[in-house]
Amino acid sequence: MKFTLGVLIALVIISSFVWVSCRSNQKQEATTDQMSPKEWLPTNQPDWAKNAVIYEVNVRQYTPEGTFNAFSEHIDRLKDLGVDILWFMPVFPISEKNKKGELGSYYAVSNYREVNPEFGAIEDFDAMVQKVHDAGMKIIIDWVPNHTGWDHVWLATNKEFYTRDSLGNVIDPIDPETGKSWGWTDVADLNYDNAEMRQEMIASMQYWLDNHNIDGLRVDVAHNVPNDFWDQVQDSLGKGNYPYMLAEGEVPYHRNSGTFAMDYAWSFHHLMNDIAKGEKPASAIDTWLKEDRAKYERGYHMQFITNHDENAWNGTEYERMGDGVDAFAVLTFTFEGMPLIYTGQEAAYNKRMEFFQKDPVDWGTYEKTEFYKKLIDLKHRNQALWNGEHGGE
């Protein structure tokens, strides 16, 4: 209890500072004896994202049926919660070859231009997108450019699209820091030295924007894809209507170049976990913020206490943060960046979801709904808390 109170006090101080600094800008702008605010470059950020909150949808586990149609029954509830953007984990068919577990990984894609038949037909997806838009929300889908499943059509038609060893065998992805396999044996690594593969990848992204009315992409393992590919994406994608782009990574170039509006605040997430465990002081937040601001010129982070990776592999927020869960949730909504809610957070769901097999959420009474509704309302109404250049210093 002593720890939780201390963190809450820190949060109140931080939130109050943000509010006061925003309110007092006009009074202070003429002074010369204080630090000038950083001039943030504009992002490729649509107006609808300026004070948005994002929600991650795990379709497989969301309902007993695990389908687009079944999820659609929750759209009005999420709108009432206050969510602005729905991010769907990959909707593509999953490779059978070398798959892990009973159902395989979302991220072992067998075709970039089809949907997983377990989730429904493409017509079901399109109807769901329309319902999301009718509710006033936006939708982004998870894109997986670093690798494909072993059943992907490219392996049969364009083997040169893949990374190969000295014997010509296609390999699974390699960790560039260690030179060893990540252990993702259910996927094959793509070769970004191949110009034709790059063009096919961009064309597949454009296909979804043109034909299925999505609003953007969350890009898996963006940090393992060469930066110059993201330059190509920015030059090619959207035809004047650039999509909302979220990078799974924490590479300043992704945002500074303008390709991505938002990236992951992985380092801040790990810092929150360390503070929750008592391994670092709350004052480390100030140090992190100063160092982070020095690296970035535009855009903002996605802030989170959990997501599909953290839940499955490192434990629920309750396992990692204990009594500090609510305090750190408040921090993600009042700190710099866009807050994320993951499937089950609004139900205080304290279970690691299976990643490769069916394991539907027990929603219970949605006991944290009012808590998150208040936080989202706070985010929406207070401009100091808005995202990137739209918010306070």
Side-chain angles (χ1 to χ4, degrees), residues 351-370:
K351 182 180 185 296
R352 299 189 188 196
M353 296 179 213
E354 293 289 342
F355 205 80
F356 305 116
Q357 63 192 52
K358 187 66 178 167
D359 187 20
V361 173
D362 178 3
W363 291 99
T365 61
Y366 301 96
E367 64 179 85
K368 301 294 288 187
T369 290
E370 290 305 313

mmCIF file of all heavy atoms in Angstrom, residues 351-370:
data_model
loop_
_atom_site.group_PDB
_atom_site.id
_atom_site.type_symbol
_atom_site.label_atom_id
_atom_site.label_comp_id
_atom_site.label_asym_id
_atom_site.label_seq_id
_atom_site.Cartn_x
_atom_site.Cartn_y
_atom_site.Cartn_z
ATOM 1 N N LYS A 351 -5.207 -13.326 -16.603
ATOM 2 C CA LYS A 351 -4.825 -14.652 -17.104
ATOM 3 C C LYS A 351 -3.968 -14.486 -18.352
ATOM 4 O O LYS A 351 -4.255 -13.663 -19.217
ATOM 5 C CB LYS A 351 -6.067 -15.480 -17.446
ATOM 6 C CG LYS A 351 -5.772 -16.900 -17.922
ATOM 7 C CD LYS A 351 -7.064 -17.649 -18.251
ATOM 8 C CE LYS A 351 -6.781 -19.102 -18.615
ATOM 9 N NZ LYS A 351 -5.967 -19.223 -19.860
ATOM 10 N N ARG A 352 -2.907 -15.282 -18.437
ATOM 11 C CA ARG A 352 -2.112 -15.298 -19.661
ATOM 12 C C ARG A 352 -2.884 -16.057 -20.734
ATOM 13 O O ARG A 352 -3.208 -17.231 -20.565
ATOM 14 C CB ARG A 352 -0.771 -15.988 -19.431
ATOM 15 C CG ARG A 352 0.112 -15.338 -18.395
ATOM 16 C CD ARG A 352 1.502 -15.963 -18.412
ATOM 17 N NE ARG A 352 2.318 -15.498 -17.304
ATOM 18 C CZ ARG A 352 3.641 -15.635 -17.247
ATOM 19 N NH1 ARG A 352 4.288 -16.217 -18.253
ATOM 20 N NH2 ARG A 352 4.320 -15.184 -16.208
ATOM 21 N N MET A 353 -3.184 -15.376 -21.843
ATOM 22 C CA MET A 353 -3.916 -16.037 -22.921
ATOM 23 C C MET A 353 -2.977 -16.934 -23.715
ATOM 24 O O MET A 353 -1.846 -16.557 -24.020
ATOM 25 C CB MET A 353 -4.535 -15.004 -23.866
ATOM 26 C CG MET A 353 -5.578 -14.115 -23.225
ATOM 27 S SD MET A 353 -6.220 -12.923 -24.426
ATOM 28 C CE MET A 353 -6.548 -11.522 -23.335
ATOM 29 N N GLU A 354 -3.448 -18.118 -24.045
ATOM 30 C CA GLU A 354 -2.688 -19.009 -24.906
ATOM 31 C C GLU A 354 -2.464 -18.332 -26.252
ATOM 32 O O GLU A 354 -3.343 -17.647 -26.776
ATOM 33 C CB GLU A 354 -3.427 -20.328 -25.096
ATOM 34 C CG GLU A 354 -3.536 -21.172 -23.835
ATOM 35 C CD GLU A 354 -2.205 -21.777 -23.416
ATOM 36 O OE1 GLU A 354 -1.282 -21.823 -24.270
ATOM 37 O OE2 GLU A 354 -2.074 -22.190 -22.256
ATOM 38 N N PHE A 355 -1.286 -18.529 -26.822
ATOM 39 C CA PHE A 355 -0.951 -17.857 -28.071
ATOM 40 C C PHE A 355 -1.235 -18.724 -29.302
ATOM 41 O O PHE A 355 -1.551 -18.197 -30.372
ATOM 42 C CB PHE A 355 0.530 -17.457 -28.068
ATOM 43 C CG PHE A 355 0.847 -16.302 -28.971
ATOM 44 C CD1 PHE A 355 0.599 -14.999 -28.571
ATOM 45 C CD2 PHE A 355 1.393 -16.508 -30.226
ATOM 46 C CE1 PHE A 355 0.880 -13.920 -29.399
ATOM 47 C CE2 PHE A 355 1.686 -15.438 -31.070
ATOM 48 C CZ PHE A 355 1.433 -14.143 -30.650
ATOM 49 N N PHE A 356 -1.114 -20.041 -29.158
ATOM 50 C CA PHE A 356 -1.221 -20.919 -30.321
ATOM 51 C C PHE A 356 -2.454 -21.824 -30.286
ATOM 52 O O PHE A 356 -2.565 -22.745 -31.094
ATOM 53 C CB PHE A 356 0.035 -21.796 -30.428
ATOM 54 C CG PHE A 356 1.319 -21.020 -30.463
ATOM 55 C CD1 PHE A 356 2.250 -21.150 -29.449
ATOM 56 C CD2 PHE A 356 1.590 -20.136 -31.500
ATOM 57 C CE1 PHE A 356 3.443 -20.441 -29.478
ATOM 58 C CE2 PHE A 356 2.771 -19.417 -31.539
ATOM 59 C CZ PHE A 356 3.701 -19.568 -30.523
ATOM 60 N N GLN A 357 -3.347 -21.569 -29.356
ATOM 61 C CA GLN A 357 -4.568 -22.374 -29.299
ATOM 62 C C GLN A 357 -5.711 -21.540 -28.746
ATOM 63 O O GLN A 357 -5.515 -20.430 -28.256
ATOM 64 C CB GLN A 357 -4.356 -23.624 -28.447
ATOM 65 C CG GLN A 357 -4.028 -23.357 -26.994
ATOM 66 C CD GLN A 357 -3.539 -24.608 -26.285
ATOM 67 O OE1 GLN A 357 -2.623 -25.289 -26.744
ATOM 68 N NE2 GLN A 357 -4.162 -24.914 -25.156
ATOM 69 N N LYS A 358 -6.909 -22.060 -28.845
ATOM 70 C CA LYS A 358 -8.098 -21.341 -28.418
ATOM 71 C C LYS A 358 -8.132 -21.189 -26.901
ATOM 72 O O LYS A 358 -7.914 -22.148 -26.155
ATOM 73 C CB LYS A 358 -9.344 -22.094 -28.904
ATOM 74 C CG LYS A 358 -10.653 -21.374 -28.682
ATOM 75 C CD LYS A 358 -10.761 -20.113 -29.514
ATOM 76 C CE LYS A 358 -12.120 -19.431 -29.290
ATOM 77 N NZ LYS A 358 -12.137 -18.067 -29.846
ATOM 78 N N ASP A 359 -8.419 -19.961 -26.436
ATOM 79 C CA ASP A 359 -8.424 -19.665 -25.004
ATOM 80 C C ASP A 359 -9.232 -18.393 -24.775
ATOM 81 O O ASP A 359 -8.689 -17.336 -24.459
ATOM 82 C CB ASP A 359 -6.980 -19.488 -24.515
ATOM 83 C CG ASP A 359 -6.866 -19.343 -23.015
ATOM 84 O OD1 ASP A 359 -7.809 -19.743 -22.302
ATOM 85 O OD2 ASP A 359 -5.829 -18.812 -22.557
ATOM 86 N N PRO A 360 -10.563 -18.463 -24.958
ATOM 87 C CA PRO A 360 -11.380 -17.242 -24.954
ATOM 88 C C PRO A 360 -11.403 -16.519 -23.607
ATOM 89 O O PRO A 360 -11.326 -17.134 -22.542
ATOM 90 C CB PRO A 360 -12.775 -17.738 -25.337
ATOM 91 C CG PRO A 360 -12.775 -19.195 -25.016
ATOM 92 C CD PRO A 360 -11.366 -19.661 -25.214
ATOM 93 N N VAL A 361 -11.519 -15.208 -23.682
ATOM 94 C CA VAL A 361 -11.585 -14.353 -22.503
ATOM 95 C C VAL A 361 -12.886 -14.592 -21.747
ATOM 96 O O VAL A 361 -13.953 -14.716 -22.341
ATOM 97 C CB VAL A 361 -11.501 -12.866 -22.913
ATOM 98 C CG1 VAL A 361 -11.732 -11.950 -21.720
ATOM 99 C CG2 VAL A 361 -10.163 -12.571 -23.568
ATOM 100 N N ASP A 362 -12.782 -14.653 -20.429
ATOM 101 C CA ASP A 362 -13.960 -14.656 -19.560
ATOM 102 C C ASP A 362 -14.196 -13.195 -19.148
ATOM 103 O O ASP A 362 -13.486 -12.652 -18.308
ATOM 104 C CB ASP A 362 -13.711 -15.540 -18.342
ATOM 105 C CG ASP A 362 -14.888 -15.537 -17.372
ATOM 106 O OD1 ASP A 362 -15.914 -14.887 -17.677
ATOM 107 O OD2 ASP A 362 -14.771 -16.165 -16.304
ATOM 108 N N TRP A 363 -15.183 -12.567 -19.756
ATOM 109 C CA TRP A 363 -15.388 -11.132 -19.570
ATOM 110 C C TRP A 363 -16.016 -10.767 -18.228
ATOM 111 O O TRP A 363 -15.890 -9.632 -17.763
ATOM 112 C CB TRP A 363 -16.244 -10.566 -20.705
ATOM 113 C CG TRP A 363 -15.517 -10.564 -22.011
ATOM 114 C CD1 TRP A 363 -15.625 -11.478 -23.029
ATOM 115 C CD2 TRP A 363 -14.532 -9.617 -22.431
ATOM 116 N NE1 TRP A 363 -14.769 -11.152 -24.061
ATOM 117 C CE2 TRP A 363 -14.090 -10.008 -23.725
ATOM 118 C CE3 TRP A 363 -13.985 -8.473 -21.852
ATOM 119 C CZ2 TRP A 363 -13.130 -9.291 -24.439
ATOM 120 C CZ3 TRP A 363 -13.022 -7.756 -22.564
ATOM 121 C CH2 TRP A 363 -12.606 -8.170 -23.843
ATOM 122 N N GLY A 364 -16.700 -11.705 -17.602
ATOM 123 C CA GLY A 364 -17.300 -11.410 -16.309
ATOM 124 C C GLY A 364 -18.223 -10.207 -16.355
ATOM 125 O O GLY A 364 -19.089 -10.114 -17.227
ATOM 126 N N THR A 365 -17.994 -9.268 -15.468
ATOM 127 C CA THR A 365 -18.859 -8.079 -15.379
ATOM 128 C C THR A 365 -18.195 -6.827 -15.953
ATOM 129 O O THR A 365 -18.675 -5.720 -15.725
ATOM 130 C CB THR A 365 -19.232 -7.814 -13.908
ATOM 131 O OG1 THR A 365 -18.031 -7.577 -13.154
ATOM 132 C CG2 THR A 365 -19.983 -8.998 -13.312
ATOM 133 N N TYR A 366 -17.093 -7.002 -16.677
ATOM 134 C CA TYR A 366 -16.361 -5.842 -17.227
ATOM 135 C C TYR A 366 -16.042 -4.849 -16.102
ATOM 136 O O TYR A 366 -16.269 -3.643 -16.217
ATOM 137 C CB TYR A 366 -17.174 -5.147 -18.315
ATOM 138 C CG TYR A 366 -17.538 -6.028 -19.492
ATOM 139 C CD1 TYR A 366 -18.772 -6.664 -19.553
ATOM 140 C CD2 TYR A 366 -16.646 -6.230 -20.540
ATOM 141 C CE1 TYR A 366 -19.110 -7.477 -20.633
ATOM 142 C CE2 TYR A 366 -16.974 -7.039 -21.624
ATOM 143 C CZ TYR A 366 -18.209 -7.653 -21.662
ATOM 144 O OH TYR A 366 -18.542 -8.463 -22.723
ATOM 145 N N GLU A 367 -15.442 -5.340 -15.045
ATOM 146 C CA GLU A 367 -15.373 -4.571 -13.801
ATOM 147 C C GLU A 367 -14.515 -3.300 -13.873
ATOM 148 O O GLU A 367 -14.672 -2.406 -13.034
ATOM 149 C CB GLU A 367 -14.874 -5.453 -12.651
ATOM 150 C CG GLU A 367 -13.461 -5.967 -12.799
ATOM 151 C CD GLU A 367 -13.037 -6.805 -11.595
ATOM 152 O OE1 GLU A 367 -13.343 -8.006 -11.581
ATOM 153 O OE2 GLU A 367 -12.415 -6.242 -10.682
ATOM 154 N N LYS A 368 -13.621 -3.192 -14.847
ATOM 155 C CA LYS A 368 -12.794 -1.981 -14.936
ATOM 156 C C LYS A 368 -13.313 -0.999 -15.988
ATOM 157 O O LYS A 368 -12.640 -0.021 -16.320
ATOM 158 C CB LYS A 368 -11.342 -2.351 -15.284
ATOM 159 C CG LYS A 368 -10.676 -3.283 -14.293
ATOM 160 C CD LYS A 368 -10.484 -2.650 -12.945
ATOM 161 C CE LYS A 368 -9.411 -1.602 -12.962
ATOM 162 N NZ LYS A 368 -9.105 -1.100 -11.600
ATOM 163 N N THR A 369 -14.512 -1.229 -16.492
ATOM 164 C CA THR A 369 -15.040 -0.376 -17.556
ATOM 165 C C THR A 369 -15.137 1.083 -17.126
ATOM 166 O O THR A 369 -14.697 1.991 -17.849
ATOM 167 C CB THR A 369 -16.408 -0.887 -18.029
ATOM 168 O OG1 THR A 369 -16.214 -2.122 -18.731
ATOM 169 C CG2 THR A 369 -17.083 0.101 -18.961
ATOM 170 N N GLU A 370 -15.722 1.347 -15.969
ATOM 171 C CA GLU A 370 -15.886 2.735 -15.533
ATOM 172 C C GLU A 370 -14.537 3.416 -15.294
ATOM 173 O O GLU A 370 -14.366 4.602 -15.572
ATOM 174 C CB GLU A 370 -16.754 2.796 -14.274
ATOM 175 C CG GLU A 370 -18.205 2.450 -14.532
ATOM 176 C CD GLU A 370 -18.830 3.317 -15.623
ATOM 177 O OE1 GLU A 370 -18.651 4.556 -15.572
ATOM 178 O OE2 GLU A 370 -19.462 2.755 -16.530
#
